[in-house]
Amino acid sequence: MEKDMPIFPQEIITSILVRLPVKSLIRFQCVCKSWKNLFRTPSFIAEHLHHSTRQNPLLIVDSDVSGCIPWRLCLLNCEMEVSEFENTHIIDSLMSGCFYCCNHMLCKMSGWLYSSNGLLCVKFSRNSQDHLWLWNPSIRVVRQVPESLNEPKYFSVGFGFSPIIDDYKIVKFFLAGFSVVVQAEVYSLRTGLWRKVEVGNLEGVYDLGCGAFSWNGAIFWIGEKKDVEVHNKSHLELIVSFDIAGEVFTLIPFPTLNSADSCYKRLASFENKLALLFTSDIENSGSWAIDLWVLEECTDPSRERWSWAKIYTSTPNPCWICAEIIWRNEIVCLVEAFEGEEGKVVLCNLTTNEFKPFGCSSRPGILEYVESLVLLDNIHV
């Protein structure tokens, strides 16, 4: 007579399951009803996301910007192994055109893409109409975001998550001439509704572009504002911050940068601080370098005093080089091509200051991604 199978405590079973990839958990839903229900509980989803975040892969979007070749999503893991998404046909069926990367997202007249905790916020245009979708490719769930209260011709989008209120929100700026912010609306995944929010001190802010960056319960954009204290009406570069929980906008001044007229800037996070990656030309050398600035914690209750510190400068590079994202203590950089050559992607190590090949096709779109079980109200395609 066979011995009975050992029965493990539920705590041990759960501790094992939260460490498995989503693909395995989807298969294990058919093991028993209790497991299927477990995988849908908020506590399990949150714990699985905590473990999955440690893997911290990159999402690579490779496409022919001419529009002749469909877009392709891949994942790059810490071993520099590339694997292709298995279900991109879900979004392919909704979209026309392809995408290229711009400011931590994909940007073309046909679409944008943002990532937060495994959810992708996708904006695309079809028949002159803009549509927003939320997509969790790990569990193959997609949901169309309802139309906002106003549908202007020009707008800018941001997407992020707040652990304080356990909610994902989309911010939509409505833009007037010269991309000036005139109004803002926020969509809550929890309520499924849009609502207007006060733009407050955003009056006169413009050129937010398409480069939203989400981190630590807030969404950030790089923008500009006219300096009213200067007679020639020069322009101040700044960072617009949106607190997802409190729905409040804050303006953060830039650090004092050199070569401001010829730089390339990206927002990132480094050592749990908001960071700014800045490409500068080294005077009279014909070379370029990347500076890394971090924003120190603001202790001023009025939020009017901010302190930046430059903590890193890369070795000079003979080509124009632009930093895109910080990944595993390395900066993912796009390097401009020499004449007759293609541009390439390299990794700049923040410890050794060495450049090395990235190991993927030339100049793809790149953003952070993590597998998750986050639900979208069970709307499946």
Side-chain angles (χ1 to χ4, degrees), residues 168-202:
Y168 295 82
K169 292 185 179 181
I170 301 172
V171 181
K172 179 184 285 190
F173 289 113
F174 300 150
L175 309 175
F178 300 103
S179 298
V180 176
V181 176
V182 294
Q183 189 178 330
E185 292 181 6
V186 175
Y187 173 79
S188 164
L189 178 59
R190 179 179 293 276
T191 65
L193 299 173
W194 288 94
R195 58 187 300 271
K196 292 182 180 180
V197 292
E198 295 294 330
V199 295
N201 56 358
L202 296 189

Tab-separated table of all heavy atoms in Angstrom, residues 168-202:
chain	number	residue	atom	x	y	z
A	168	TYR	N	-4.094	52.362	-9.889
A	168	TYR	CA	-3.375	52.807	-11.081
A	168	TYR	C	-4.161	53.965	-11.693
A	168	TYR	O	-5.384	53.918	-11.778
A	168	TYR	CB	-3.258	51.669	-12.096
A	168	TYR	CG	-2.431	50.509	-11.616
A	168	TYR	CD1	-2.986	49.532	-10.795
A	168	TYR	CD2	-1.098	50.385	-11.970
A	168	TYR	CE1	-2.229	48.470	-10.339
A	168	TYR	CE2	-0.333	49.311	-11.522
A	168	TYR	CZ	-0.902	48.369	-10.704
A	168	TYR	OH	-0.151	47.310	-10.259
A	169	LYS	N	-3.420	54.989	-12.138
A	169	LYS	CA	-4.094	56.141	-12.714
A	169	LYS	C	-3.406	56.579	-14.007
A	169	LYS	O	-2.195	56.434	-14.159
A	169	LYS	CB	-4.126	57.313	-11.725
A	169	LYS	CG	-5.021	57.064	-10.516
A	169	LYS	CD	-5.131	58.286	-9.621
A	169	LYS	CE	-6.056	58.009	-8.432
A	169	LYS	NZ	-6.185	59.202	-7.554
A	170	ILE	N	-4.229	57.092	-14.911
A	170	ILE	CA	-3.754	57.691	-16.154
A	170	ILE	C	-3.990	59.194	-16.060
A	170	ILE	O	-5.091	59.630	-15.703
A	170	ILE	CB	-4.492	57.125	-17.381
A	170	ILE	CG1	-4.295	55.614	-17.478
A	170	ILE	CG2	-4.012	57.802	-18.662
A	170	ILE	CD1	-5.148	54.966	-18.557
A	171	VAL	N	-2.976	59.976	-16.348
A	171	VAL	CA	-3.098	61.438	-16.375
A	171	VAL	C	-3.057	61.885	-17.825
A	171	VAL	O	-2.179	61.483	-18.588
A	171	VAL	CB	-1.961	62.114	-15.589
A	171	VAL	CG1	-2.127	63.630	-15.618
A	171	VAL	CG2	-1.931	61.614	-14.157
A	172	LYS	N	-4.017	62.718	-18.184
A	172	LYS	CA	-4.072	63.243	-19.555
A	172	LYS	C	-4.038	64.768	-19.492
A	172	LYS	O	-4.919	65.404	-18.910
A	172	LYS	CB	-5.331	62.764	-20.271
A	172	LYS	CG	-5.452	63.290	-21.706
A	172	LYS	CD	-6.774	62.872	-22.348
A	172	LYS	CE	-6.772	61.425	-22.740
A	172	LYS	NZ	-7.976	61.097	-23.573
A	173	PHE	N	-2.973	65.349	-20.088
A	173	PHE	CA	-2.882	66.799	-20.219
A	173	PHE	C	-3.485	67.219	-21.553
A	173	PHE	O	-3.170	66.641	-22.592
A	173	PHE	CB	-1.423	67.266	-20.183
A	173	PHE	CG	-0.769	67.144	-18.846
A	173	PHE	CD1	0.260	66.246	-18.637
A	173	PHE	CD2	-1.167	67.932	-17.788
A	173	PHE	CE1	0.884	66.133	-17.419
A	173	PHE	CE2	-0.558	67.826	-16.535
A	173	PHE	CZ	0.476	66.930	-16.366
A	174	PHE	N	-4.323	68.236	-21.522
A	174	PHE	CA	-4.845	68.815	-22.756
A	174	PHE	C	-3.973	70.007	-23.112
A	174	PHE	O	-3.716	70.884	-22.282
A	174	PHE	CB	-6.300	69.237	-22.584
A	174	PHE	CG	-7.196	68.083	-22.210
A	174	PHE	CD1	-8.324	68.280	-21.438
A	174	PHE	CD2	-6.905	66.798	-22.628
A	174	PHE	CE1	-9.152	67.228	-21.094
A	174	PHE	CE2	-7.724	65.740	-22.288
A	174	PHE	CZ	-8.851	65.947	-21.516
A	175	LEU	N	-3.522	70.055	-24.346
A	175	LEU	CA	-2.530	71.021	-24.786
A	175	LEU	C	-3.107	71.974	-25.819
A	175	LEU	O	-3.824	71.561	-26.730
A	175	LEU	CB	-1.307	70.302	-25.368
A	175	LEU	CG	-0.703	69.191	-24.488
A	175	LEU	CD1	0.411	68.482	-25.229
A	175	LEU	CD2	-0.199	69.775	-23.170
A	176	ALA	N	-2.774	73.251	-25.668
A	176	ALA	CA	-3.153	74.274	-26.647
A	176	ALA	C	-1.905	74.653	-27.441
A	176	ALA	O	-0.870	73.990	-27.350
A	176	ALA	CB	-3.752	75.479	-25.932
A	177	GLY	N	-1.974	75.758	-28.199
A	177	GLY	CA	-0.881	76.163	-29.060
A	177	GLY	C	0.470	76.136	-28.367
A	177	GLY	O	0.596	76.491	-27.199
A	178	PHE	N	1.499	75.678	-29.086
A	178	PHE	CA	2.858	75.512	-28.567
A	178	PHE	C	2.894	74.544	-27.378
A	178	PHE	O	3.742	74.651	-26.491
A	178	PHE	CB	3.461	76.864	-28.154
A	178	PHE	CG	3.559	77.856	-29.268
A	178	PHE	CD1	2.645	78.892	-29.364
A	178	PHE	CD2	4.541	77.733	-30.237
A	178	PHE	CE1	2.725	79.813	-30.399
A	178	PHE	CE2	4.630	78.648	-31.277
A	178	PHE	CZ	3.721	79.682	-31.361
A	179	SER	N	1.937	73.625	-27.339
A	179	SER	CA	1.899	72.553	-26.332
A	179	SER	C	1.783	73.076	-24.904
A	179	SER	O	2.347	72.522	-23.973
A	179	SER	CB	3.141	71.660	-26.463
A	179	SER	OG	3.192	71.034	-27.723
A	180	VAL	N	1.042	74.179	-24.717
A	180	VAL	CA	0.825	74.733	-23.378
A	180	VAL	C	-0.271	73.933	-22.667
A	180	VAL	O	-1.315	73.639	-23.246
A	180	VAL	CB	0.430	76.219	-23.459
A	180	VAL	CG1	0.122	76.765	-22.072
A	180	VAL	CG2	1.543	77.016	-24.121
A	181	VAL	N	-0.043	73.573	-21.406
A	181	VAL	CA	-1.026	72.829	-20.620
A	181	VAL	C	-2.201	73.738	-20.270
A	181	VAL	O	-2.016	74.814	-19.695
A	181	VAL	CB	-0.395	72.271	-19.337
A	181	VAL	CG1	-1.457	71.592	-18.476
A	181	VAL	CG2	0.725	71.295	-19.670
A	182	VAL	N	-3.407	73.319	-20.616
A	182	VAL	CA	-4.591	74.130	-20.312
A	182	VAL	C	-5.569	73.393	-19.404
A	182	VAL	O	-6.425	74.021	-18.765
A	182	VAL	CB	-5.312	74.566	-21.606
A	182	VAL	CG1	-4.438	75.517	-22.399
A	182	VAL	CG2	-5.704	73.358	-22.459
A	183	GLN	N	-5.465	72.074	-19.344
A	183	GLN	CA	-6.416	71.312	-18.540
A	183	GLN	C	-5.844	69.923	-18.307
A	183	GLN	O	-4.966	69.458	-19.049
A	183	GLN	CB	-7.761	71.205	-19.263
A	183	GLN	CG	-8.892	70.610	-18.438
A	183	GLN	CD	-10.206	70.575	-19.219
A	183	GLN	OE1	-10.444	71.411	-20.081
A	183	GLN	NE2	-11.058	69.619	-18.899
A	184	ALA	N	-6.330	69.242	-17.264
A	184	ALA	CA	-5.877	67.886	-16.980
A	184	ALA	C	-7.027	67.046	-16.461
A	184	ALA	O	-7.916	67.549	-15.759
A	184	ALA	CB	-4.734	67.903	-15.964
A	185	GLU	N	-7.013	65.769	-16.816
A	185	GLU	CA	-7.979	64.794	-16.315
A	185	GLU	C	-7.246	63.547	-15.847
A	185	GLU	O	-6.159	63.240	-16.340
A	185	GLU	CB	-9.004	64.429	-17.395
A	185	GLU	CG	-9.939	65.572	-17.772
A	185	GLU	CD	-10.953	65.162	-18.818
A	185	GLU	OE1	-11.005	63.967	-19.159
A	185	GLU	OE2	-11.685	66.038	-19.305
A	186	VAL	N	-7.841	62.835	-14.916
A	186	VAL	CA	-7.233	61.638	-14.344
A	186	VAL	C	-8.229	60.487	-14.415
A	186	VAL	O	-9.403	60.645	-14.058
A	186	VAL	CB	-6.807	61.871	-12.882
A	186	VAL	CG1	-6.300	60.574	-12.263
A	186	VAL	CG2	-5.735	62.943	-12.802
A	187	TYR	N	-7.746	59.345	-14.872
A	187	TYR	CA	-8.565	58.130	-14.914
A	187	TYR	C	-8.080	57.180	-13.828
A	187	TYR	O	-6.880	56.904	-13.704
A	187	TYR	CB	-8.449	57.455	-16.273
A	187	TYR	CG	-9.132	56.094	-16.331
A	187	TYR	CD1	-10.502	55.981	-16.489
A	187	TYR	CD2	-8.377	54.922	-16.222
A	187	TYR	CE1	-11.124	54.745	-16.542
A	187	TYR	CE2	-8.987	53.686	-16.275
A	187	TYR	CZ	-10.359	53.592	-16.433
A	187	TYR	OH	-10.967	52.367	-16.477
A	188	SER	N	-8.994	56.658	-13.025
A	188	SER	CA	-8.687	55.709	-11.963
A	188	SER	C	-9.112	54.305	-12.391
A	188	SER	O	-10.272	54.102	-12.775
A	188	SER	CB	-9.402	56.104	-10.668
A	188	SER	OG	-9.420	55.030	-9.755
A	189	LEU	N	-8.182	53.364	-12.326
A	189	LEU	CA	-8.537	51.984	-12.653
A	189	LEU	C	-9.512	51.416	-11.625
A	189	LEU	O	-10.385	50.616	-11.956
A	189	LEU	CB	-7.267	51.122	-12.713
A	189	LEU	CG	-7.465	49.634	-13.009
A	189	LEU	CD1	-8.172	49.429	-14.341
A	189	LEU	CD2	-6.128	48.899	-12.997
A	190	ARG	N	-9.381	51.843	-10.379
A	190	ARG	CA	-10.259	51.343	-9.319
A	190	ARG	C	-11.715	51.746	-9.547
A	190	ARG	O	-12.629	50.942	-9.375
A	190	ARG	CB	-9.773	51.849	-7.953
A	190	ARG	CG	-10.631	51.398	-6.783
A	190	ARG	CD	-10.071	51.926	-5.481
A	190	ARG	NE	-8.778	51.330	-5.177
A	190	ARG	CZ	-8.620	50.156	-4.567
A	190	ARG	NH1	-9.684	49.459	-4.208
A	190	ARG	NH2	-7.425	49.684	-4.313
A	191	THR	N	-11.960	52.991	-9.942
A	191	THR	CA	-13.332	53.464	-10.145
A	191	THR	C	-13.796	53.315	-11.581
A	191	THR	O	-15.003	53.291	-11.846
A	191	THR	CB	-13.456	54.947	-9.747
A	191	THR	OG1	-12.648	55.746	-10.637
A	191	THR	CG2	-12.988	55.152	-8.316
A	192	GLY	N	-12.840	53.257	-12.520
A	192	GLY	CA	-13.197	53.167	-13.925
A	192	GLY	C	-13.733	54.465	-14.494
A	192	GLY	O	-14.422	54.458	-15.518
A	193	LEU	N	-13.392	55.601	-13.845
A	193	LEU	CA	-13.947	56.881	-14.253
A	193	LEU	C	-12.853	57.919	-14.455
A	193	LEU	O	-11.784	57.859	-13.840
A	193	LEU	CB	-14.929	57.401	-13.198
A	193	LEU	CG	-16.157	56.525	-12.897
A	193	LEU	CD1	-16.919	57.101	-11.714
A	193	LEU	CD2	-17.054	56.405	-14.120
A	194	TRP	N	-13.159	58.899	-15.324
A	194	TRP	CA	-12.330	60.081	-15.497
A	194	TRP	C	-12.872	61.202	-14.613
A	194	TRP	O	-14.074	61.297	-14.377
A	194	TRP	CB	-12.346	60.556	-16.948
A	194	TRP	CG	-11.596	59.712	-17.911
A	194	TRP	CD1	-12.091	58.707	-18.687
A	194	TRP	CD2	-10.200	59.820	-18.236
A	194	TRP	NE1	-11.101	58.168	-19.462
A	194	TRP	CE2	-9.932	58.836	-19.216
A	194	TRP	CE3	-9.160	60.640	-17.799
A	194	TRP	CZ2	-8.661	58.662	-19.753
A	194	TRP	CZ3	-7.896	60.468	-18.334
A	194	TRP	CH2	-7.658	59.488	-19.293
A	195	ARG	N	-11.985	62.073	-14.132
A	195	ARG	CA	-12.401	63.259	-13.405
A	195	ARG	C	-11.399	64.379	-13.679
A	195	ARG	O	-10.208	64.128	-13.880
A	195	ARG	CB	-12.508	63.012	-11.901
A	195	ARG	CG	-11.238	62.526	-11.256
A	195	ARG	CD	-11.474	62.143	-9.799
A	195	ARG	NE	-11.959	63.268	-9.027
A	195	ARG	CZ	-11.160	64.131	-8.411
A	195	ARG	NH1	-9.848	63.995	-8.490
A	195	ARG	NH2	-11.655	65.122	-7.715
A	196	LYS	N	-11.882	65.606	-13.694
A	196	LYS	CA	-11.004	66.752	-13.891
A	196	LYS	C	-10.206	67.022	-12.621
A	196	LYS	O	-10.685	66.805	-11.507
A	196	LYS	CB	-11.823	67.994	-14.251
A	196	LYS	CG	-12.501	67.927	-15.611
A	196	LYS	CD	-13.246	69.223	-15.908
A	196	LYS	CE	-13.923	69.160	-17.273
A	196	LYS	NZ	-14.656	70.417	-17.587
A	197	VAL	N	-8.969	67.496	-12.803
A	197	VAL	CA	-8.134	67.891	-11.673
A	197	VAL	C	-7.601	69.291	-11.942
A	197	VAL	O	-7.422	69.696	-13.093
A	197	VAL	CB	-6.959	66.919	-11.445
A	197	VAL	CG1	-7.456	65.576	-10.970
A	197	VAL	CG2	-6.114	66.764	-12.698
A	198	GLU	N	-7.356	70.030	-10.874
A	198	GLU	CA	-6.851	71.385	-11.002
A	198	GLU	C	-5.390	71.359	-11.446
A	198	GLU	O	-4.572	70.634	-10.869
A	198	GLU	CB	-6.970	72.122	-9.671
A	198	GLU	CG	-8.401	72.341	-9.201
A	198	GLU	CD	-9.158	73.287	-10.121
A	198	GLU	OE1	-8.502	74.171	-10.722
A	198	GLU	OE2	-10.391	73.138	-10.230
A	199	VAL	N	-5.077	72.144	-12.468
A	199	VAL	CA	-3.692	72.211	-12.938
A	199	VAL	C	-2.858	73.129	-12.055
A	199	VAL	O	-1.625	73.068	-12.067
A	199	VAL	CB	-3.618	72.667	-14.407
A	199	VAL	CG1	-4.262	71.642	-15.314
A	199	VAL	CG2	-4.286	74.032	-14.589
A	200	GLY	N	-3.521	73.978	-11.258
A	200	GLY	CA	-2.821	74.778	-10.263
A	200	GLY	C	-1.666	75.566	-10.832
A	200	GLY	O	-1.830	76.407	-11.721
A	201	ASN	N	-0.461	75.273	-10.325
A	201	ASN	CA	0.718	76.045	-10.726
A	201	ASN	C	1.312	75.606	-12.063
A	201	ASN	O	2.441	75.957	-12.387
A	201	ASN	CB	1.801	75.972	-9.634
A	201	ASN	CG	2.178	74.532	-9.307
A	201	ASN	OD1	1.611	73.594	-9.854
A	201	ASN	ND2	3.117	74.374	-8.397
A	202	LEU	N	0.569	74.859	-12.853
A	202	LEU	CA	1.049	74.475	-14.182
A	202	LEU	C	0.786	75.560	-15.223
A	202	LEU	O	1.104	75.368	-16.397
A	202	LEU	CB	0.395	73.169	-14.647
A	202	LEU	CG	0.702	71.908	-13.839
A	202	LEU	CD1	0.149	70.685	-14.562
A	202	LEU	CD2	2.184	71.749	-13.589
